[in-house]
Amino acid sequence: MSSAGYADNGIACTWMRGGTSKGGFFLAKDLPENISERDALLLSIMGSPDARQIDGMGGADPLTSKVAIVSPSNRDNTDVDYLFLQVFVDDARVSDAQGCGNMLAGVGGFAIENKLVNAVGDVTPVRIYMQNTDSMAVAQVNTPSGQVSYTGDASIDGVPGTSAAVPLVFKNIAGANCGSLLPTGQIQNAIDGKTVTLIDNGMPTVLLKAADLGISGYETREELDANDILKDALESIRLQAGPMMNLGDVTEKSVPKMTLLAPAKNNGVIMTRTFIPHRCHATIGVFCAVSVATACIMKGSVAFDIATPSSGLNRVLDVEHPLGKTSTLLNLDAEEKLESAGMLRTARKLFSGRVFPA
C-alpha cells in the first residue's frame, strides 16, 4: 500500500500499556516490508520528530513512543515473534538496537486476541521469540473463559491501580546484545577515571556509583534531567563504553543504558537512576532491572558492595527507582550460577482500531 493509502485508510493497531511503557502493537503483515517505508510510517504515526509529538500518538516521552510488531513464528517451540522498535521523540529515528521487557508484557494478550495463539484454560502460556535479542520469553496471560482479561489485583510501581498479573520468564538473555554477560571479560573497568561495570543480561547497561559522579542517587528525575554537567559526563562514558561492549559507535543508538547506583532506601536491594540514554527514566526498564539485579549478586561489581545482601537459589530482588521498585526473580543453580530470570508485569489494552498517519 502506498503512503497515501495508509493516510486515507489507516492501519490496524492496538494501543496498549505494557508494564511502565505504552505504545502501538501491530501485526507484521499490516506494515510495509521495506524497513525505510515502515520506519517513516511509524514516525508519522507517533508524530516524530517533535518534542510534543502533537500531530501523532506519541506521548512526548521515550516511554510512550514505542512499537511492538508481532507475527506468527516458524521456530520450534515458539508461538510468536516480537520485534520492539523505539521511535525517537524529537529525532527522525527508529531503533531496534534494544529489546523492551515492558512492552513484552502486552505481546501475549495481543497475540491471543489476534488469533495467533489459542487460549487454553484460565492462564495461557505464550512462547515469545524476542527478535531484538535472539532470545526467548514465556508470558503467562490471564484467559478466564478462553478470553484475554486485563482485570486483576496485581500492581507495579509506576502504574496506578491494578491489572491482571503477567509473569514473564526470560531464557538465554545473558549477553543477548553484547555477546556475553560481561562483554569486556572483566567485572570492573575504568572510563574517564570512573569505575564501571559493563553488563548485559538482556540489556546493555553501564553501572556506576552515583557518588562517583558527585550526586546522591536519590535526586528526582527532573533534577537529573536539568543537570547538564552530569549528562555530559554520562554521555562521554557511554560513547566509550559502546565499543567496549561490542556495540560499535553508539552515538545514534539508544544503548547502552547508563545506570547510577546508591544504597537502597525502601527495603530493596539497590537504588537506581537510569538514563535511556539522554533522559532520566521515570522508573527502570525490565531488562535493565534484570541486569542491575544480576550485578548485585556478582562479587566485585560496582553494585555488589552497596547492594543489600541476598541468599538462596531463587532470589527476589527489588530494584528501587524514582517511582518505587521493580521486583526481579533470579534463579540460580546449585553452584549459584544464574539459570534464568523472571519479572512480574501487568498490561492493559487501551484501544483497538485504526490509526491514521499523516
Side-chain angles (χ1 to χ4, degrees), residues 107-299:
V107 170
F110 176 79
I112 295 170
E113 292 200 88
N114 282 274
K115 312 301 183 185
L116 302 184
V117 178
N118 294 323
V120 289
D122 289 339
V123 177
T124 300
V126 180
R127 300 165 299 178
I128 303 165
Y129 172 70
M130 299 179 288
Q131 293 178 247
N132 304 75
T133 56
D134 188 28
S135 54
M136 289 290 302
V138 178
Q140 302 287 343
V141 181
N142 191 36
T143 52
S145 303
Q147 301 292 324
V148 176
S149 173
Y150 299 100
T151 302
D153 57 8
S155 63
I156 57 175
D157 287 340
V159 178
T162 63
S163 301
V166 183
L168 302 169
V169 175
F170 310 119
K171 300 180 180 180
N172 304 319
I173 60 170
N177 303 272
C178 301
S180 62
L181 181 65
L182 299 173
T184 67
Q186 301 177 46
I187 193 71
Q188 290 187 7
N189 292 96
I191 304 178
D192 285 351
K194 305 294 189 296
T195 301
V196 301
T197 291
L198 309 179
I199 188 169
D200 172 22
N201 199 16
M203 178 63 67
T205 307
V206 179
L207 303 178
L208 311 92
K209 292 182 181 178
D212 289 348
L213 275 297
I215 64 171
S216 69
Y218 307 118
E219 291 84 357
T220 66
R221 183 190 191 194
E222 292 73 21
E223 288 172 328
L224 294 177
D225 275 338
N227 189 336
D228 290 335
I229 294 175
L230 170 68
K231 291 167 71 175
D232 287 346
L234 289 176
E235 183 65 358
S236 175
I237 294 171
R238 191 182 79 88
L239 293 177
Q240 295 173 71
M244 295 170 67
M245 300 181 76
N246 303 316
L247 297 170
D249 182 357
V250 297
T251 304
E252 301 296 323
K253 296 181 180 179
S254 56
V255 289
K257 306 303 185 189
M258 307 298 294
T259 298
L260 303 170
L261 306 174
K265 292 185 72 173
N266 301 303
N267 300 313
V269 64
I270 203 163
M271 179 68 77
T272 65
R273 294 293 185 269
T274 299
F275 284 77
I276 53 172
H278 304 128
R279 295 177 66 179
C280 186
H281 203 307
T283 56
I284 188 171
V286 168
F287 292 118
C288 189
V290 171
S291 293
V292 171
T294 302
C296 287
I297 67 171
M298 298 176 66
K299 189 173 183 179

